[in-house]
Amino acid sequence: VVIAIHGGAWEVGYREYVGFMARHLCSSSNQNFQNQVIMVSPTYKLGLYQDQMWPQSRDDIIEAIRWVTKNAQEHGGDPNCIILTGHSAGGHLAAAVGLDPDLLLSRGIEPRCIKALFLVSCPLGVQIRDWFVPKNFFDRIKEPFVRFFDRSFRKRMIPMLRPVVGIDEGDNMQAIIATLKEASPLATLKRMNHNTKQKLPYVHYAYASEGDFGTCGIHARRLKRL
């Protein structure tokens, strides 16, 4: 069972975005899979207008996984063989859920039912420092300062992250920072012990070498290190 999560900058989009994938994945003539594939495309809370999508969006994806584990067999699917995939904001949500086995266990879901994550051009960290992209040698030298101390950089980034936090730079910065840390899969992995990491599913991260988000390559390398 492939659970495909649409993107849309956490603010827009609908599940039909990923409909084109079903035509290929679920085709009986597809020779890439031994068995037939079922695709599920859930909807989730969006950060429209002044709404805050996190953590309700994450919880909506968890509920979608729960539904699959309970109902997949009725539709010919294997509830113990789930693949999460998503693009952009959808990939972020897939990572936020699929790379947190303790969270899944706390919601009554066996983490081992998720066999793989296929993430496409998505942020794996949404903390302020995760968005700094060094463009040259001098940027790399000043990166630690910008990531941790540059308030002007924070002010530029907070409006972009408004759908995640639901508040702007005029509100409590500590609350913003705490929310962004909780919503960052890279931060979750960083504080995870070795034994828990051994339970994580296979992860494939894809992005374009040109014309994609500047953070993709950086996040991919950090993911590999962790």
Side-chain angles (χ1 to χ4, degrees), residues 179-226:
T179 298
L180 295 176
K181 183 176 182 180
E182 182 190 38
S184 294
L186 288 176
T188 300
L189 288 172
K190 192 171 183 180
R191 61 177 179 265
M192 191 178 294
N193 64 53
H194 178 75
N195 289 335
T196 302
K197 286 183 179 180
Q198 297 303 306
K199 303 174 185 177
L200 294 175
Y202 170 83
V203 181
H204 178 85
Y205 185 89
Y207 63 97
S209 58
E210 295 182 5
D212 212 329
F213 302 113
T215 55
C216 289
I218 295 173
H219 290 189
R221 290 189 291 274
R222 290 180 187 170
L223 175 66
K224 189 174 182 179
R225 288 198 298 269
L226 291 169

mmCIF file of all heavy atoms in Angstrom, residues 179-226:
data_model
loop_
_atom_site.group_PDB
_atom_site.id
_atom_site.type_symbol
_atom_site.label_atom_id
_atom_site.label_comp_id
_atom_site.label_asym_id
_atom_site.label_seq_id
_atom_site.Cartn_x
_atom_site.Cartn_y
_atom_site.Cartn_z
ATOM 1 N N THR A 179 7.957 25.013 18.290
ATOM 2 C CA THR A 179 7.092 24.368 17.303
ATOM 3 C C THR A 179 7.894 23.890 16.099
ATOM 4 O O THR A 179 7.710 22.769 15.608
ATOM 5 C CB THR A 179 5.999 25.347 16.833
ATOM 6 O OG1 THR A 179 5.180 25.713 17.943
ATOM 7 C CG2 THR A 179 5.111 24.704 15.765
ATOM 8 N N LEU A 180 8.806 24.725 15.611
ATOM 9 C CA LEU A 180 9.610 24.358 14.447
ATOM 10 C C LEU A 180 10.536 23.186 14.752
ATOM 11 O O LEU A 180 10.768 22.338 13.889
ATOM 12 C CB LEU A 180 10.413 25.568 13.963
ATOM 13 C CG LEU A 180 9.581 26.737 13.418
ATOM 14 C CD1 LEU A 180 10.479 27.905 13.052
ATOM 15 C CD2 LEU A 180 8.756 26.293 12.205
ATOM 16 N N LYS A 181 11.036 23.117 15.970
ATOM 17 C CA LYS A 181 11.888 21.984 16.353
ATOM 18 C C LYS A 181 11.080 20.694 16.378
ATOM 19 O O LYS A 181 11.537 19.644 15.880
ATOM 20 C CB LYS A 181 12.520 22.242 17.721
ATOM 21 C CG LYS A 181 13.477 21.137 18.155
ATOM 22 C CD LYS A 181 14.159 21.490 19.474
ATOM 23 C CE LYS A 181 15.152 20.404 19.874
ATOM 24 N NZ LYS A 181 15.830 20.737 21.152
ATOM 25 N N GLU A 182 9.883 20.764 16.942
ATOM 26 C CA GLU A 182 9.018 19.584 17.004
ATOM 27 C C GLU A 182 8.645 19.102 15.600
ATOM 28 O O GLU A 182 8.490 17.903 15.355
ATOM 29 C CB GLU A 182 7.741 19.901 17.791
ATOM 30 C CG GLU A 182 6.813 18.712 17.943
ATOM 31 C CD GLU A 182 5.462 19.107 18.498
ATOM 32 O OE1 GLU A 182 4.943 20.186 18.121
ATOM 33 O OE2 GLU A 182 4.898 18.333 19.286
ATOM 34 N N ALA A 183 8.523 20.054 14.656
ATOM 35 C CA ALA A 183 8.100 19.732 13.288
ATOM 36 C C ALA A 183 9.263 19.369 12.378
ATOM 37 O O ALA A 183 9.062 19.212 11.169
ATOM 38 C CB ALA A 183 7.334 20.919 12.699
ATOM 39 N N SER A 184 10.468 19.231 12.911
ATOM 40 C CA SER A 184 11.659 18.974 12.100
ATOM 41 C C SER A 184 12.121 17.527 12.227
ATOM 42 O O SER A 184 12.640 17.132 13.274
ATOM 43 C CB SER A 184 12.800 19.910 12.519
ATOM 44 O OG SER A 184 12.484 21.252 12.228
ATOM 45 N N PRO A 185 11.951 16.714 11.172
ATOM 46 C CA PRO A 185 12.437 15.332 11.228
ATOM 47 C C PRO A 185 13.931 15.229 11.535
ATOM 48 O O PRO A 185 14.357 14.304 12.231
ATOM 49 C CB PRO A 185 12.119 14.799 9.823
ATOM 50 C CG PRO A 185 10.940 15.614 9.374
ATOM 51 C CD PRO A 185 11.174 16.980 9.948
ATOM 52 N N LEU A 186 14.742 16.149 11.030
ATOM 53 C CA LEU A 186 16.177 16.104 11.310
ATOM 54 C C LEU A 186 16.442 16.258 12.807
ATOM 55 O O LEU A 186 17.334 15.611 13.355
ATOM 56 C CB LEU A 186 16.909 17.189 10.526
ATOM 57 C CG LEU A 186 17.032 16.973 9.013
ATOM 58 C CD1 LEU A 186 17.692 18.182 8.363
ATOM 59 C CD2 LEU A 186 17.808 15.699 8.692
ATOM 60 N N ALA A 187 15.684 17.126 13.456
ATOM 61 C CA ALA A 187 15.848 17.317 14.900
ATOM 62 C C ALA A 187 15.429 16.058 15.651
ATOM 63 O O ALA A 187 16.052 15.674 16.647
ATOM 64 C CB ALA A 187 15.035 18.517 15.369
ATOM 65 N N THR A 188 14.362 15.399 15.172
ATOM 66 C CA THR A 188 13.914 14.148 15.790
ATOM 67 C C THR A 188 14.998 13.082 15.685
ATOM 68 O O THR A 188 15.302 12.378 16.651
ATOM 69 C CB THR A 188 12.629 13.650 15.108
ATOM 70 O OG1 THR A 188 11.603 14.642 15.248
ATOM 71 C CG2 THR A 188 12.150 12.351 15.731
ATOM 72 N N LEU A 189 15.608 12.971 14.505
ATOM 73 C CA LEU A 189 16.669 11.975 14.303
ATOM 74 C C LEU A 189 17.894 12.272 15.152
ATOM 75 O O LEU A 189 18.547 11.354 15.662
ATOM 76 C CB LEU A 189 17.065 11.943 12.826
ATOM 77 C CG LEU A 189 16.048 11.318 11.861
ATOM 78 C CD1 LEU A 189 16.493 11.544 10.428
ATOM 79 C CD2 LEU A 189 15.878 9.837 12.144
ATOM 80 N N LYS A 190 18.193 13.561 15.317
ATOM 81 C CA LYS A 190 19.392 13.950 16.056
ATOM 82 C C LYS A 190 19.321 13.516 17.511
ATOM 83 O O LYS A 190 20.340 13.145 18.112
ATOM 84 C CB LYS A 190 19.598 15.460 15.953
ATOM 85 C CG LYS A 190 20.951 15.929 16.447
ATOM 86 C CD LYS A 190 21.175 17.394 16.129
ATOM 87 C CE LYS A 190 22.560 17.853 16.561
ATOM 88 N NZ LYS A 190 22.788 19.289 16.241
ATOM 89 N N ARG A 191 18.143 13.542 18.097
ATOM 90 C CA ARG A 191 18.012 13.173 19.502
ATOM 91 C C ARG A 191 17.614 11.708 19.698
ATOM 92 O O ARG A 191 17.383 11.262 20.818
ATOM 93 C CB ARG A 191 17.014 14.088 20.207
ATOM 94 C CG ARG A 191 15.602 14.063 19.662
ATOM 95 C CD ARG A 191 14.689 14.960 20.494
ATOM 96 N NE ARG A 191 13.340 14.978 19.976
ATOM 97 C CZ ARG A 191 12.859 15.884 19.143
ATOM 98 N NH1 ARG A 191 13.639 16.893 18.738
ATOM 99 N NH2 ARG A 191 11.618 15.829 18.706
ATOM 100 N N MET A 192 17.573 10.948 18.602
ATOM 101 C CA MET A 192 17.170 9.547 18.661
ATOM 102 C C MET A 192 18.367 8.660 18.988
ATOM 103 O O MET A 192 19.475 8.877 18.485
ATOM 104 C CB MET A 192 16.579 9.150 17.296
ATOM 105 C CG MET A 192 15.887 7.806 17.262
ATOM 106 S SD MET A 192 15.179 7.501 15.600
ATOM 107 C CE MET A 192 13.911 8.776 15.520
ATOM 108 N N ASN A 193 18.169 7.657 19.840
ATOM 109 C CA ASN A 193 19.271 6.764 20.178
ATOM 110 C C ASN A 193 19.513 5.741 19.065
ATOM 111 O O ASN A 193 18.672 5.533 18.185
ATOM 112 C CB ASN A 193 19.031 6.065 21.522
ATOM 113 C CG ASN A 193 17.817 5.148 21.503
ATOM 114 O OD1 ASN A 193 17.696 4.280 20.652
ATOM 115 N ND2 ASN A 193 16.924 5.333 22.480
ATOM 116 N N HIS A 194 20.658 5.098 19.127
ATOM 117 C CA HIS A 194 21.082 4.200 18.056
ATOM 118 C C HIS A 194 20.116 3.037 17.876
ATOM 119 O O HIS A 194 19.794 2.648 16.744
ATOM 120 C CB HIS A 194 22.485 3.661 18.356
ATOM 121 C CG HIS A 194 22.977 2.686 17.339
ATOM 122 N ND1 HIS A 194 23.418 3.069 16.078
ATOM 123 C CD2 HIS A 194 23.095 1.322 17.382
ATOM 124 C CE1 HIS A 194 23.784 1.995 15.395
ATOM 125 N NE2 HIS A 194 23.612 0.930 16.160
ATOM 126 N N ASN A 195 19.639 2.451 18.965
ATOM 127 C CA ASN A 195 18.744 1.297 18.872
ATOM 128 C C ASN A 195 17.449 1.648 18.158
ATOM 129 O O ASN A 195 16.919 0.851 17.376
ATOM 130 C CB ASN A 195 18.441 0.752 20.269
ATOM 131 C CG ASN A 195 19.652 0.075 20.890
ATOM 132 O OD1 ASN A 195 20.541 -0.396 20.183
ATOM 133 N ND2 ASN A 195 19.697 0.045 22.215
ATOM 134 N N THR A 196 16.931 2.840 18.427
ATOM 135 C CA THR A 196 15.702 3.266 17.761
ATOM 136 C C THR A 196 15.945 3.494 16.276
ATOM 137 O O THR A 196 15.106 3.151 15.432
ATOM 138 C CB THR A 196 15.157 4.555 18.406
ATOM 139 O OG1 THR A 196 14.931 4.332 19.795
ATOM 140 C CG2 THR A 196 13.841 4.976 17.763
ATOM 141 N N LYS A 197 17.103 4.052 15.933
ATOM 142 C CA LYS A 197 17.415 4.278 14.529
ATOM 143 C C LYS A 197 17.463 2.985 13.728
ATOM 144 O O LYS A 197 17.181 2.974 12.530
ATOM 145 C CB LYS A 197 18.753 5.020 14.399
ATOM 146 C CG LYS A 197 18.691 6.493 14.769
ATOM 147 C CD LYS A 197 20.034 7.172 14.545
ATOM 148 C CE LYS A 197 19.947 8.653 14.908
ATOM 149 N NZ LYS A 197 21.238 9.338 14.703
ATOM 150 N N GLN A 198 17.825 1.893 14.397
ATOM 151 C CA GLN A 198 17.884 0.611 13.704
ATOM 152 C C GLN A 198 16.508 0.133 13.252
ATOM 153 O O GLN A 198 16.398 -0.743 12.392
ATOM 154 C CB GLN A 198 18.509 -0.447 14.627
ATOM 155 C CG GLN A 198 19.956 -0.165 15.017
ATOM 156 C CD GLN A 198 20.864 -0.007 13.811
ATOM 157 O OE1 GLN A 198 20.915 -0.871 12.944
ATOM 158 N NE2 GLN A 198 21.563 1.118 13.747
ATOM 159 N N LYS A 199 15.455 0.710 13.812
ATOM 160 C CA LYS A 199 14.088 0.310 13.480
ATOM 161 C C LYS A 199 13.488 1.154 12.358
ATOM 162 O O LYS A 199 12.360 0.909 11.935
ATOM 163 C CB LYS A 199 13.198 0.425 14.724
ATOM 164 C CG LYS A 199 13.685 -0.384 15.921
ATOM 165 C CD LYS A 199 12.834 -0.093 17.141
ATOM 166 C CE LYS A 199 13.370 -0.791 18.379
ATOM 167 N NZ LYS A 199 12.575 -0.448 19.600
ATOM 168 N N LEU A 200 14.249 2.140 11.882
ATOM 169 C CA LEU A 200 13.703 3.051 10.876
ATOM 170 C C LEU A 200 13.583 2.366 9.519
ATOM 171 O O LEU A 200 14.352 1.466 9.181
ATOM 172 C CB LEU A 200 14.606 4.284 10.749
ATOM 173 C CG LEU A 200 14.677 5.195 11.967
ATOM 174 C CD1 LEU A 200 15.696 6.309 11.729
ATOM 175 C CD2 LEU A 200 13.304 5.786 12.283
ATOM 176 N N PRO A 201 12.615 2.804 8.701
ATOM 177 C CA PRO A 201 12.452 2.212 7.376
ATOM 178 C C PRO A 201 13.514 2.723 6.397
ATOM 179 O O PRO A 201 14.234 3.688 6.685
ATOM 180 C CB PRO A 201 11.058 2.698 6.950
ATOM 181 C CG PRO A 201 10.889 4.012 7.667
ATOM 182 C CD PRO A 201 11.590 3.821 8.997
ATOM 183 N N TYR A 202 13.592 2.057 5.259
ATOM 184 C CA TYR A 202 14.456 2.520 4.168
ATOM 185 C C TYR A 202 13.984 3.905 3.723
ATOM 186 O O TYR A 202 12.777 4.161 3.634
ATOM 187 C CB TYR A 202 14.373 1.527 3.011
ATOM 188 C CG TYR A 202 15.027 2.002 1.741
ATOM 189 C CD1 TYR A 202 16.401 1.861 1.539
ATOM 190 C CD2 TYR A 202 14.266 2.603 0.739
ATOM 191 C CE1 TYR A 202 16.999 2.294 0.364
ATOM 192 C CE2 TYR A 202 14.865 3.042 -0.439
ATOM 193 C CZ TYR A 202 16.225 2.892 -0.617
ATOM 194 O OH TYR A 202 16.810 3.330 -1.773
ATOM 195 N N VAL A 203 14.923 4.796 3.417
ATOM 196 C CA VAL A 203 14.572 6.146 2.967
ATOM 197 C C VAL A 203 15.264 6.446 1.641
ATOM 198 O O VAL A 203 16.479 6.292 1.511
ATOM 199 C CB VAL A 203 14.990 7.222 4.000
ATOM 200 C CG1 VAL A 203 14.591 8.615 3.495
ATOM 201 C CG2 VAL A 203 14.359 6.942 5.350
ATOM 202 N N HIS A 204 14.469 6.867 0.660
ATOM 203 C CA HIS A 204 15.010 7.358 -0.613
ATOM 204 C C HIS A 204 14.594 8.817 -0.747
ATOM 205 O O HIS A 204 13.409 9.132 -0.685
ATOM 206 C CB HIS A 204 14.467 6.551 -1.789
ATOM 207 C CG HIS A 204 14.960 7.035 -3.126
ATOM 208 N ND1 HIS A 204 16.168 6.624 -3.660
ATOM 209 C CD2 HIS A 204 14.427 7.905 -4.007
ATOM 210 C CE1 HIS A 204 16.341 7.211 -4.827
ATOM 211 N NE2 HIS A 204 15.309 7.999 -5.067
ATOM 212 N N TYR A 205 15.583 9.697 -0.934
ATOM 213 C CA TYR A 205 15.309 11.132 -1.037
ATOM 214 C C TYR A 205 15.719 11.599 -2.429
ATOM 215 O O TYR A 205 16.880 11.449 -2.834
ATOM 216 C CB TYR A 205 16.095 11.892 0.035
ATOM 217 C CG TYR A 205 15.785 13.370 0.101
ATOM 218 C CD1 TYR A 205 14.760 13.840 0.913
ATOM 219 C CD2 TYR A 205 16.512 14.295 -0.649
ATOM 220 C CE1 TYR A 205 14.469 15.192 0.980
ATOM 221 C CE2 TYR A 205 16.220 15.644 -0.583
ATOM 222 C CZ TYR A 205 15.199 16.090 0.228
ATOM 223 O OH TYR A 205 14.918 17.428 0.282
ATOM 224 N N ALA A 206 14.780 12.152 -3.187
ATOM 225 C CA ALA A 206 15.042 12.566 -4.568
ATOM 226 C C ALA A 206 14.830 14.070 -4.722
ATOM 227 O O ALA A 206 13.883 14.641 -4.163
ATOM 228 C CB ALA A 206 14.114 11.816 -5.523
ATOM 229 N N TYR A 207 15.730 14.696 -5.470
ATOM 230 C CA TYR A 207 15.576 16.113 -5.790
ATOM 231 C C TYR A 207 16.371 16.413 -7.057
ATOM 232 O O TYR A 207 17.256 15.647 -7.454
ATOM 233 C CB TYR A 207 16.066 16.992 -4.629
ATOM 234 C CG TYR A 207 17.539 16.847 -4.302
ATOM 235 C CD1 TYR A 207 18.477 17.745 -4.799
ATOM 236 C CD2 TYR A 207 17.997 15.803 -3.498
ATOM 237 C CE1 TYR A 207 19.826 17.614 -4.498
ATOM 238 C CE2 TYR A 207 19.339 15.660 -3.194
ATOM 239 C CZ TYR A 207 20.252 16.568 -3.697
ATOM 240 O OH TYR A 207 21.582 16.432 -3.409
ATOM 241 N N ALA A 208 16.034 17.529 -7.701
ATOM 242 C CA ALA A 208 16.702 17.903 -8.949
ATOM 243 C C ALA A 208 18.025 18.596 -8.644
ATOM 244 O O ALA A 208 18.134 19.367 -7.686
ATOM 245 C CB ALA A 208 15.812 18.835 -9.773
ATOM 246 N N SER A 209 19.021 18.329 -9.466
ATOM 247 C CA SER A 209 20.334 18.941 -9.254
ATOM 248 C C SER A 209 20.314 20.427 -9.616
ATOM 249 O O SER A 209 21.147 21.195 -9.138
ATOM 250 C CB SER A 209 21.399 18.215 -10.081
ATOM 251 O OG SER A 209 21.063 18.239 -11.459
ATOM 252 N N GLU A 210 19.349 20.841 -10.432
ATOM 253 C CA GLU A 210 19.202 22.251 -10.791
ATOM 254 C C GLU A 210 17.730 22.641 -10.733
ATOM 255 O O GLU A 210 16.851 21.849 -11.070
ATOM 256 C CB GLU A 210 19.740 22.507 -12.209
ATOM 257 C CG GLU A 210 21.237 22.282 -12.360
ATOM 258 C CD GLU A 210 21.722 22.595 -13.761
ATOM 259 O OE1 GLU A 210 20.899 23.066 -14.568
ATOM 260 O OE2 GLU A 210 22.907 22.362 -14.046
ATOM 261 N N GLY A 211 17.484 23.862 -10.309
ATOM 262 C CA GLY A 211 16.124 24.388 -10.313
ATOM 263 C C GLY A 211 15.238 23.895 -9.188
ATOM 264 O O GLY A 211 14.032 24.121 -9.204
ATOM 265 N N ASP A 212 15.813 23.224 -8.199
ATOM 266 C CA ASP A 212 15.030 22.743 -7.064
ATOM 267 C C ASP A 212 15.298 23.644 -5.860
ATOM 268 O O ASP A 212 16.093 24.583 -5.930
ATOM 269 C CB ASP A 212 15.402 21.295 -6.744
ATOM 270 C CG ASP A 212 14.227 20.504 -6.187
ATOM 271 O OD1 ASP A 212 13.371 21.115 -5.519
ATOM 272 O OD2 ASP A 212 14.171 19.279 -6.412
ATOM 273 N N PHE A 213 14.641 23.361 -4.753
ATOM 274 C CA PHE A 213 14.862 24.129 -3.536
ATOM 275 C C PHE A 213 16.324 24.008 -3.111
ATOM 276 O O PHE A 213 16.884 22.900 -3.100
ATOM 277 C CB PHE A 213 13.963 23.642 -2.409
ATOM 278 C CG PHE A 213 12.497 23.715 -2.728
ATOM 279 C CD1 PHE A 213 11.748 22.564 -2.868
ATOM 280 C CD2 PHE A 213 11.876 24.934 -2.895
ATOM 281 C CE1 PHE A 213 10.393 22.618 -3.159
ATOM 282 C CE2 PHE A 213 10.519 25.017 -3.183
ATOM 283 C CZ PHE A 213 9.777 23.853 -3.321
ATOM 284 N N GLY A 214 16.936 25.119 -2.729
ATOM 285 C CA GLY A 214 18.347 25.106 -2.364
ATOM 286 C C GLY A 214 18.652 24.266 -1.150
ATOM 287 O O GLY A 214 19.797 23.819 -0.956
ATOM 288 N N THR A 215 17.656 24.026 -0.329
ATOM 289 C CA THR A 215 17.883 23.257 0.901
ATOM 290 C C THR A 215 17.924 21.752 0.666
ATOM 291 O O THR A 215 18.376 21.018 1.544
ATOM 292 C CB THR A 215 16.777 23.559 1.929
ATOM 293 O OG1 THR A 215 15.500 23.307 1.317
ATOM 294 C CG2 THR A 215 16.836 24.995 2.402
ATOM 295 N N CYS A 216 17.443 21.290 -0.487
ATOM 296 C CA CYS A 216 17.303 19.841 -0.700
ATOM 297 C C CYS A 216 18.622 19.097 -0.525
ATOM 298 O O CYS A 216 18.692 18.103 0.199
ATOM 299 C CB CYS A 216 16.732 19.564 -2.090
ATOM 300 S SG CYS A 216 14.978 20.003 -2.263
ATOM 301 N N GLY A 217 19.666 19.560 -1.214
ATOM 302 C CA GLY A 217 20.955 18.882 -1.119
ATOM 303 C C GLY A 217 21.513 18.910 0.286
ATOM 304 O O GLY A 217 22.096 17.921 0.766
ATOM 305 N N ILE A 218 21.345 20.054 0.960
ATOM 306 C CA ILE A 218 21.847 20.196 2.333
ATOM 307 C C ILE A 218 21.135 19.224 3.262
ATOM 308 O O ILE A 218 21.763 18.518 4.059
ATOM 309 C CB ILE A 218 21.663 21.644 2.814
ATOM 310 C CG1 ILE A 218 22.529 22.590 1.982
ATOM 311 C CG2 ILE A 218 22.003 21.768 4.296
ATOM 312 C CD1 ILE A 218 22.283 24.051 2.263
ATOM 313 N N HIS A 219 19.822 19.163 3.151
ATOM 314 C CA HIS A 219 19.045 18.277 4.020
ATOM 315 C C HIS A 219 19.344 16.816 3.713
ATOM 316 O O HIS A 219 19.359 15.972 4.620
ATOM 317 C CB HIS A 219 17.552 18.564 3.878
ATOM 318 C CG HIS A 219 17.158 19.878 4.474
ATOM 319 N ND1 HIS A 219 15.842 20.268 4.624
ATOM 320 C CD2 HIS A 219 17.903 20.902 4.951
ATOM 321 C CE1 HIS A 219 15.804 21.482 5.180
ATOM 322 N NE2 HIS A 219 17.045 21.866 5.381
ATOM 323 N N ALA A 220 19.543 16.493 2.425
ATOM 324 C CA ALA A 220 19.863 15.117 2.058
ATOM 325 C C ALA A 220 21.178 14.675 2.701
ATOM 326 O O ALA A 220 21.297 13.546 3.209
ATOM 327 C CB ALA A 220 19.949 14.994 0.540
ATOM 328 N N ARG A 221 22.170 15.558 2.698
ATOM 329 C CA ARG A 221 23.460 15.216 3.298
ATOM 330 C C ARG A 221 23.344 15.069 4.816
ATOM 331 O O ARG A 221 23.959 14.180 5.413
ATOM 332 C CB ARG A 221 24.508 16.261 2.921
ATOM 333 C CG ARG A 221 24.913 16.207 1.445
ATOM 334 C CD ARG A 221 26.093 17.094 1.156
ATOM 335 N NE ARG A 221 25.768 18.517 1.255
ATOM 336 C CZ ARG A 221 25.271 19.233 0.262
ATOM 337 N NH1 ARG A 221 25.024 18.673 -0.922
ATOM 338 N NH2 ARG A 221 25.022 20.530 0.422
ATOM 339 N N ARG A 222 22.559 15.936 5.446
ATOM 340 C CA ARG A 222 22.379 15.820 6.887
ATOM 341 C C ARG A 222 21.650 14.519 7.239
ATOM 342 O O ARG A 222 21.994 13.864 8.225
ATOM 343 C CB ARG A 222 21.589 17.026 7.412
ATOM 344 C CG ARG A 222 22.369 18.326 7.375
ATOM 345 C CD ARG A 222 21.529 19.472 7.903
ATOM 346 N NE ARG A 222 22.201 20.759 7.710
ATOM 347 C CZ ARG A 222 21.624 21.946 7.892
ATOM 348 N NH1 ARG A 222 20.356 21.989 8.271
ATOM 349 N NH2 ARG A 222 22.294 23.055 7.698
ATOM 350 N N LEU A 223 20.672 14.170 6.422
ATOM 351 C CA LEU A 223 19.945 12.926 6.646
ATOM 352 C C LEU A 223 20.902 11.739 6.579
ATOM 353 O O LEU A 223 20.839 10.825 7.418
ATOM 354 C CB LEU A 223 18.833 12.775 5.601
ATOM 355 C CG LEU A 223 18.051 11.469 5.630
ATOM 356 C CD1 LEU A 223 17.247 11.358 6.933
ATOM 357 C CD2 LEU A 223 17.114 11.361 4.426
ATOM 358 N N LYS A 224 21.770 11.748 5.601
ATOM 359 C CA LYS A 224 22.718 10.652 5.432
ATOM 360 C C LYS A 224 23.655 10.542 6.629
ATOM 361 O O LYS A 224 23.971 9.434 7.091
ATOM 362 C CB LYS A 224 23.520 10.838 4.146
ATOM 363 C CG LYS A 224 24.368 9.657 3.762
ATOM 364 C CD LYS A 224 25.016 9.861 2.406
ATOM 365 C CE LYS A 224 25.826 8.637 1.990
ATOM 366 N NZ LYS A 224 26.437 8.830 0.640
ATOM 367 N N ARG A 225 24.091 11.694 7.153
ATOM 368 C CA ARG A 225 24.986 11.669 8.321
ATOM 369 C C ARG A 225 24.301 11.121 9.561
ATOM 370 O O ARG A 225 24.918 10.450 10.390
ATOM 371 C CB ARG A 225 25.527 13.074 8.596
ATOM 372 C CG ARG A 225 26.555 13.575 7.586
ATOM 373 C CD ARG A 225 27.343 14.719 8.150
ATOM 374 N NE ARG A 225 26.523 15.872 8.477
ATOM 375 C CZ ARG A 225 26.262 16.876 7.656
ATOM 376 N NH1 ARG A 225 26.777 16.860 6.425
ATOM 377 N NH2 ARG A 225 25.507 17.888 8.015
ATOM 378 N N LEU A 226 23.022 11.428 9.695
ATOM 379 C CA LEU A 226 22.284 10.990 10.878
ATOM 380 C C LEU A 226 21.875 9.534 10.799
ATOM 381 O O LEU A 226 21.594 8.905 11.802
ATOM 382 C CB LEU A 226 21.041 11.879 11.076
ATOM 383 C CG LEU A 226 21.325 13.323 11.484
ATOM 384 C CD1 LEU A 226 20.071 14.168 11.399
ATOM 385 C CD2 LEU A 226 21.888 13.363 12.901
#
